[in-house]
């Protein structure tokens, strides 16, 4: 990993300030990406434990007992530890992998480069944002090793299980550490969000009007707004829950609750209040994970299809509509809470309305691919795979948006299948597409394409084999946090389904080892990449690979056109960079007059 500083020869840094406590957005982005990769390994290992237990409940965990001796008895996993593993897997993958890799990693690396800025608006705050992330990880993982073990109330941490330290083994110190860890991470997210919004609105290059921004930047801008408005709600809820646990308050604990034959001395609280506060963040969080991949995939599709993105203004409008609607749908997670049917109908209407902008985006991606000269690079294959996963997961979301169906499949494996398609796997494919696409820009080398395509096919097939059968398990009544299907007579017929799912999951996990090997081997032995290996148009490809300190040598670039001038008739090449004046190579006008600086803020 070499990030040179030739553009600023007078800028001298020690190893610590250059690579550890760096304020350079590119280094911070890579720090986020590699730390997220470490957490993905941890979260993936926990997923393998879950599948091992469900697929082979009588198996002996000789290889895992030494790591968590308190979580096993006679080399078999304990039920309470299994619930802790499920809780930690969900928490890690959602908050510590997908959110941090997409917003922290790609957001940091790409925003200044794609809008033509030297760095983020607040570099010190940016560094601080990253350095709150490792302490949050340490506090979270520490919960595995304290008395009582890690929390087992699920990634949603519903009270009173999460509010009363003696409610369950994992409700003790482990739950407190979970809340503290999340609070620290939320502060990091808020620092990052403020930085992203300010940078995008204030530091765009001359001529970079809003409608000349790449769709990746639009996705990251809407994501930052969602995070800024929704995460403080969860932060406040986490603090209130801490007060309930440690200070004797009763925000979430009702009167008359009996735990272990003892009446709990709380009164006046409501567990439903937590659900409202949690899901006010929880559903926008889905789009925090999916809006950046939507932008990344749009970028990759246009570049490798050699064709302008179809319906650019509608793509932007769809992201705006999805962002707005994400704040008025949280109630569909609570259809079984006893809400009035009219309220449920209102939430059903807003939930189903999200299908409209989602469909607009999907049809625009397909129209972009129609009759295109597609280059089937690994990045392109992951981008196309993203569309498949997004559609599959989105269609099952329509079922869950209807109270009549949702009440039946609520908290079953149907829900697990749905969100692993639309939120987890689709977001993961966005990360992979972005990694293979921008790896040459990050490190000046290509990733191995042959290994990349093996990685794609094994991952794509593995995801469908793993998660698609879960729909049927859910319809058959398999609960999402069940320890063993052997506990209930009506689920015992699903034993072979779980064996099949587990074997597919192991294949899926092994495929990710291929990616890790390719990533690190390519850092050392990957083929050298030129500055613009894909023939792309956006600003980051108009500087060297990797970019120098300050991103652009000499003066900052000036933007003259929209970001998707591919295969323009009469042009000497099949791409025209944003820095090429319209008078030099005429093209259809997109995102402004095409001349001068209509909306760029300049620097």
């Amino acid at each position: 990993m070499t990030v040179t500083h030739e553009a600023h020869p007078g800028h001298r840094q020690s190893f610590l300030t250059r690579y550890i406590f760096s304020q350079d957005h590119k280094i911070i982005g890579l720090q986020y990406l590699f730390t997220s990769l470490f957490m993905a390994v941890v979260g993936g290992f926990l997923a393998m434990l879950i599948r091992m237990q469900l697929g082979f409940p009588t198996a002996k965990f000789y290889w895992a007992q030494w790591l968590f001796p308190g979580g096993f008895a006679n080399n078999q996993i304990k039920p309470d530890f299994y619930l802790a593993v499920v809780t930690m897997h969900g928490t890690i993958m959602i908050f510590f992998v997908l959110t941090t890799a997409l917003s922290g990693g790609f957001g940091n690396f790409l925003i200044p480069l794609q809008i033509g800025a030297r760095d983020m608006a607040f570099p010190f705050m940016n560094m601080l944002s990253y350095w709150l992330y490792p302490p949050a990880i340490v506090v979270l993982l520490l919960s595995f090793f304290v008395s009582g073990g890690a929390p087992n109330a699920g990634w949603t941490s519903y009270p009173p299980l999460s509010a009363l330290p003696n409610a369950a083994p994992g409700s003790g110190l482990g739950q407190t550490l979970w809340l503290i860890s999340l609070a620290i991470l939320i502060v990091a997210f808020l620092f990052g969000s403020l930085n992203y919004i300010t940078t995008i609105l204030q530091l765009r290059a001359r001529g970079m009007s809003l409608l000349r921004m790449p769709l990746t930047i639009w996705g990251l801008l809407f994501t930052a707004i969602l995070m800024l408005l929704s995460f403080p709600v969860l932060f406040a809820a986490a603090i209130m829950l801490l007060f309930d646990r440690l200070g004797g308050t009763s925000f979430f604990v009702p009167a008359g609750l009996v735990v272990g034959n003892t009446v709990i001395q709380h009164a006046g609280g409501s567990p439903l209040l937590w659900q409202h506060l949690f899901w006010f963040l929880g559903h926008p969080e889905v789009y925090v994970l999916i809006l950046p991949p939507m932008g990344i995939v749009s970028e990759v599709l246009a570049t490798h299809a050699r064709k302008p993105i179809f319906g650019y203004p509608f793509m932007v409008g769809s992201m705006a509509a999805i962002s707005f609607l994400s704040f008025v749908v949280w109630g569909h997670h609570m259809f079984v809470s006893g809400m009035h049917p009219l309220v449920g109908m209102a939430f059903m209407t807003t939930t189903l309305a999200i299908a409209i902008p989602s469909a607009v985006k999907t049809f625009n991606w397909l129209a972009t691919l129609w009759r295109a000269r597609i280059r089937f690079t690994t990045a392109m294959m992951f981008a196309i795979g993203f569309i498949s996963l997004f559609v599959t997961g989105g269609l099952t979301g329509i079922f869950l948006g209807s109270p009549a169906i949702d009440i039946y499949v609520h908290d079953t494996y149907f829900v697990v299948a749905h969100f692993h398609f639309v939120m987890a796997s689709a977001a993961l494919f966005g990360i992979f597409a972005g990694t293979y696409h921008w790896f040459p820009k990050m490190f000046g080398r290509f990733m191995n394409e042959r290994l990349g395509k093996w990685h794609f096919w094994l991952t794509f097939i593995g995801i469908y084999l793993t998660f698609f059968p879960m729909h049927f398990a859910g319809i058959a009544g398999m609960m999402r946090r069940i320890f063993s299907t052997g506990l209930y007579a009506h689920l015992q017929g699903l034993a072979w389904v779980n064996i099949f799912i587990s074997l597919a999951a192991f294949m899926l996990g092994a495929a990710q080892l291929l990616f890790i090997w390719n990533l690190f081997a390519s850092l050392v032995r990957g083929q050298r990449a030129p500055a613009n290996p894909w023939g792309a148009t956006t600003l980051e490809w108009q500087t060297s690979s990797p970019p120098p300190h300050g991103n652009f040598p000499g003066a900052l670039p000036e933007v003259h056109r929209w970001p998707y001038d591919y295969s323009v008739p009469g042009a000497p090449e099949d791409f025209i960079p944003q820095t090429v004046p319209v008078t030099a190579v005429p093209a259809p006008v997109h995102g402004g007059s095409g001349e001068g600086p209509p909306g760029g803020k300049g620097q």
Side-chain angles (χ1 to χ4, degrees):
M1 181 173 69
T2 303
V3 178
T4 56
H5 288 229
E6 286 82 0
H8 282 181
H11 188 87
R12 296 287 181 264
Q13 293 177 299
S14 66
F15 180 84
L16 275 180
T17 56
R18 183 172 179 178
Y19 292 113
I20 308 299
F21 299 108
S22 174
Q23 297 184 37
D24 186 321
H25 70 99
K26 300 181 292 296
I27 296 295
I28 294 171
L30 296 178
Q31 288 175 326
Y32 263 114
L33 285 175
F34 281 103
T35 311
S36 300
L37 178 63
F38 166 75
M39 291 304 286
V41 171
V42 176
F45 172 74
L46 297 178
M48 295 301 108
L49 281 181
I50 294 169
R51 287 317 318 174
M52 193 71 186
Q53 166 60 27
L54 289 176
F56 309 95
T58 59
K60 301 286 187 181
F61 289 77
Y62 298 106
W63 48 274
Q65 180 158 347
W66 65 269
L67 190 58
F68 302 109
F72 293 82
N74 298 321
N75 293 310
Q76 287 191 299
I77 194 168
K78 294 179 181 176
D80 57 321
F81 183 69
Y82 173 81
L83 292 175
V85 168
V86 172
T87 299
M88 293 293 275
H89 166 72
T91 303
I92 287 172
M93 297 306 292
I94 292 171
F95 294 116
F96 289 80
V97 177
L98 297 175
T99 307
T100 50
L102 286 163
S103 296
F106 287 102
N108 263 296
F109 189 84
L110 290 176
I111 287 175
L113 281 168
Q114 287 204 321
I115 66 170
R118 297 287 185 203
D119 207 317
M120 288 289 181
F122 310 113
F124 179 78
M125 181 190 286
N126 205 23
M127 178 190 71
L128 201 57
S129 167
Y130 171 74
W131 278 106
L132 286 170
Y133 180 26
I137 291 174
V138 171
V139 173
L140 182 75
L141 296 184
L142 193 61
S143 66
F144 272 119
F145 307 100
V146 298
S147 176
N152 57 14
W155 80 279
T156 54
S157 277
Y158 280 179
L161 194 59
S162 60
L164 303 173
N166 57 343
S171 301
L173 181 56
Q175 184 67 55
T176 301
L177 292 175
W178 187 93
L179 288 166
I180 293 172
S181 166
L182 212 59
I184 295 171
L185 192 64
I186 289 173
V187 175
F189 289 159
L190 295 179
F191 283 173
S193 302
L194 283 169
N195 225 342
Y196 293 176
I197 294 170
T198 308
T199 302
I200 293 171
L201 295 183
Q202 295 296 323
L203 298 186
R204 299 193 311 280
R206 186 178 176 82
M208 176 71 83
S209 63
L210 288 175
L211 287 180
R212 286 178 174 174
M213 293 198 308
L215 287 170
T216 305
I217 299 300
W218 275 112
L220 290 165
L221 176 61
F222 285 124
T223 299
I225 294 171
L226 289 184
M227 294 172 80
L228 193 63
L229 296 179
S230 62
F231 268 107
V233 177
L234 182 62
F235 182 83
I239 299 301
M240 291 161 68
L241 190 53
L242 276 174
F243 276 124
D244 272 11
R245 293 176 56 79
L246 306 175
T249 58
S250 296
F251 291 109
F252 306 115
V253 184
L257 197 64
V258 178
V259 175
N261 296 322
T262 303
V263 178
I264 300 301
Q265 297 302 312
H266 284 265
S270 170
L272 280 182
L273 174 61
W274 170 268
Q275 293 192 32
H276 282 290
L277 296 175
F278 182 88
W279 288 116
F280 188 79
L281 163 279
H283 203 81
E285 170 67 12
V286 172
Y287 298 100
V288 165
L289 302 186
I290 210 65
L291 285 170
M294 283 178 169
I296 289 171
V297 163
S298 302
E299 206 82 25
V300 172
L301 287 177
T303 303
H304 297 268
R306 317 308 292 163
K307 195 175 170 188
I309 197 77
F310 186 87
Y312 174 91
F314 293 95
M315 297 291 264
V316 176
S318 298
M319 281 197 268
I322 289 171
S323 301
F324 170 75
L325 288 170
S326 71
F327 281 109
V328 290
V329 298
W330 80 91
H332 74 229
H333 295 278
M334 301 167 58
F335 283 146
V336 297
S337 65
M339 67 171 58
H340 193 283
L342 287 177
V343 178
M345 184 177 293
F347 279 118
M348 179 189 75
T349 304
T350 54
T351 300
L352 298 185
I354 287 190
I356 298 172
S358 300
V360 169
K361 296 194 72 65
T362 302
F363 287 125
N364 283 359
W365 287 322
L366 296 178
T368 302
L369 293 174
W370 177 251
R371 293 185 174 179
R373 294 181 294 116
I374 298 176
R375 297 173 180 172
F376 285 101
T377 60
T378 305
M380 184 60 156
M381 293 168 75
F382 272 107
I384 295 173
F386 167 90
I387 299 173
S388 170
L389 299 173
F390 180 69
V391 170
T392 303
L395 289 175
T396 54
I398 294 174
F399 291 93
L400 292 171
S402 167
I405 302 174
D406 180 83
I407 288 171
Y408 175 72
V409 296
H410 183 81
D411 258 353
T412 69
Y413 259 77
F414 190 93
V415 180
V416 176
H418 162 69
F419 69 69
H420 273 90
F421 267 108
V422 76
M423 189 174 79
S425 300
L428 202 58
F429 266 47
I431 291 173
F432 288 141
T435 302
Y436 284 102
H437 182 70
W438 279 294
F439 189 88
K441 182 54 59 182
M442 292 174 177
F443 304 106
R445 294 178 183 272
F446 288 103
M447 291 185 74
N448 185 296
E449 279 287 301
R450 176 175 295 182
L451 288 177
K453 286 171 182 171
W454 272 104
H455 173 225
F456 166 77
W457 283 114
L458 290 172
T459 303
F460 186 72
I461 295 170
I463 283 174
Y464 270 95
L465 293 180
T466 300
F467 299 113
F468 204 78
M470 289 183 183
H471 293 105
F472 302 102
I475 292 172
M478 181 173 166
M479 299 75 93
R480 65 187 291 184
R481 296 187 178 93
I482 190 171
F483 173 65
S484 169
T485 55
L487 296 174
Y488 296 93
H490 74 284
L491 297 180
Q492 289 175 3
L494 295 176
W496 68 272
V497 177
N498 279 290
I499 292 174
F500 179 85
I501 292 173
S502 293
L503 293 175
F506 298 153
M507 183 188 83
L508 179 59
Q512 308 322 305
L513 299 179
L514 204 59
F515 169 75
I516 294 173
W517 168 262
N518 191 3
L519 181 75
F520 287 102
S522 298
L523 281 176
V524 180
R525 299 199 304 262
Q527 180 189 346
R528 294 283 182 184
N532 190 3
W534 311 121
T537 57
T538 43
L539 294 183
E540 77 273 24
W541 301 105
Q542 313 312 315
T543 186
S544 59
S545 298
H549 184 81
N551 295 339
F552 301 95
L556 287 171
E558 185 172 347
V559 173
H560 298 278
R561 58 183 69 230
W562 80 318
Y564 302 110
D565 267 342
Y566 289 103
S567 302
V568 176
E573 295 182 290
D574 68 350
F575 70 101
I576 308 174
Q578 287 188 281
T579 51
V580 175
V582 174
T583 51
V585 184
V589 174
H590 298 275
S593 65
E595 290 295 345
K601 301 298 292 187
Q603 294 184 55

